[in-house]
Amino acid sequence: MRNFASVACGLLIACASASAPAMAEDAVVVELYTSQGCSACPPADEFVAMLTADPRIIALSLHVDYWDYIGWEDNFAQTKFTDRQRAYAKAIGSRTIYTPQLIIGGQDRIEGYSPVETSEQLRRHLSATSPVQLVLERQGDKLVIRAVANPPLTEPVRVQLVRYKPEETVTIERGENAGKTITYHNIVTSWESMGDWSGQEPLELTAPAVGGDPAVVILQSHGPASIVAAARVD
């Protein structure tokens, strides 16, 4: 645990000097595939909780449902999140999925809990630049999405709208984590496709954003593959 804390804090200190605007741009998306019923997941859940403190990282917890059979049904789990994880595996010719698993920027996959490798990959992604400028603006119960690519993209990307719950604490009564009380962070509640953007002309569209939960827009190559841009509004 000491190694976990020192690595994560080192990453956050290194990133803290770069302040982010209210409408964040060029953020790195970290997807954690996790489950309340997975005994190996709590350290990864805690690591992601620390990542949420960095404004240049959009850490998202996607709870899968394939561990529900072992005695505890994850109340955050959705089959569509399991399907998304399987799609990532299929994209690289794999038939195996894991929890915990981190996917960084839609490209780099880390199976199990590996804070050193995760931090190294995050530093690499944080130092990269994107040709896409993505800006979000919340207007009441609507979200205005604007993007421009310079140079224009050579392939279309999928526009995805994600909503998440910032935090919730769960007392787990059965299964591998029986007796534990765990606080989960950035719990994804919905992940919807808004269609494709060619990346040739400027993008402007409006999407519903009812309620107070934060919203994230992700522009991602088909596959699913690399995430070319992502931004968040609270």
Side-chain angles (χ1 to χ4, degrees):
M1 185 59 68
R2 183 176 302 166
N3 182 52
F4 149 70
S6 62
V7 170
C9 289
L11 174 67
L12 294 176
I13 290 170
C15 297
S17 60
S19 60
M23 300 178 192
E25 300 176 22
D26 295 335
V28 176
V29 175
V30 177
E31 300 171 54
L32 169 65
Y33 290 88
T34 186
S35 171
Q36 294 172 14
C38 163
S39 62
C41 286
D45 295 318
E46 187 176 354
F47 187 75
V48 163
M50 293 189 71
L51 294 182
T52 62
D54 192 308
R56 295 192 300 165
I57 297 173
I58 300 175
L60 300 170
S61 298
L62 292 95
H63 287 244
V64 297
D65 61 359
Y66 49 83
W67 290 119
D68 287 359
Y69 77 95
I70 60 175
W72 179 255
E73 186 172 335
D74 189 323
N75 61 314
F76 303 141
Q78 295 188 34
T79 300
K80 69 189 306 181
F81 302 154
T82 301
D83 292 342
R84 180 171 173 83
Q85 190 184 22
R86 287 199 175 108
Y88 270 122
K90 184 178 179 181
I92 61 168
S94 173
R95 301 177 67 180
T96 307
I97 54 178
Y98 307 81
T99 57
Q101 183 185 47
L102 287 168
I103 297 180
I104 302 174
Q107 295 176 299
D108 295 301
R109 297 156 172 80
I110 299 173
E111 280 79 36
Y113 171 58
S114 180
V116 173
E117 181 183 1
T118 303
S119 296
E120 289 173 351
Q121 294 287 4
L122 280 170
R123 288 191 183 97
R124 185 174 65 82
H125 281 270
L126 286 166
S127 67
T129 58
S130 170
V132 176
Q133 181 183 45
L134 171 64
V135 177
L136 310 182
E137 182 181 358
R138 190 190 282 274
Q139 297 180 352
D141 287 338
K142 295 181 179 180
L143 185 66
V144 179
I145 305 166
R146 299 184 179 92
V148 62
N150 184 21
L153 302 181
T154 58
E155 295 181 352
V157 292
R158 181 150 294 163
V159 182
Q160 298 164 104
L161 175 61
V162 181
R163 304 297 301 275
Y164 67 85
K165 186 179 302 183
E167 182 179 310
E168 187 165 326
T169 299
V170 177
T171 299
I172 300 171
E173 299 174 0
R174 297 180 299 278
E176 291 186 353
N177 289 319
K180 293 183 178 180
T181 297
I182 301 174
T183 299
Y184 295 96
H185 294 78
N186 290 12
I187 308 150
V188 175
T189 56
S190 67
W191 193 301
E192 304 296 337
S193 173
M194 307 298 293
D196 285 357
W197 174 47
S198 69
Q200 298 291 310
E201 70 291 332
L203 170 71
E204 181 166 346
L205 62 87
T206 301
V210 178
D213 286 347
V216 176
V217 171
I218 295 172
L219 307 182
Q220 185 171 23
S221 300
H222 288 258
S226 62
I227 293 172
V228 301
R232 162 182 53 207
V233 289
D234 292 329

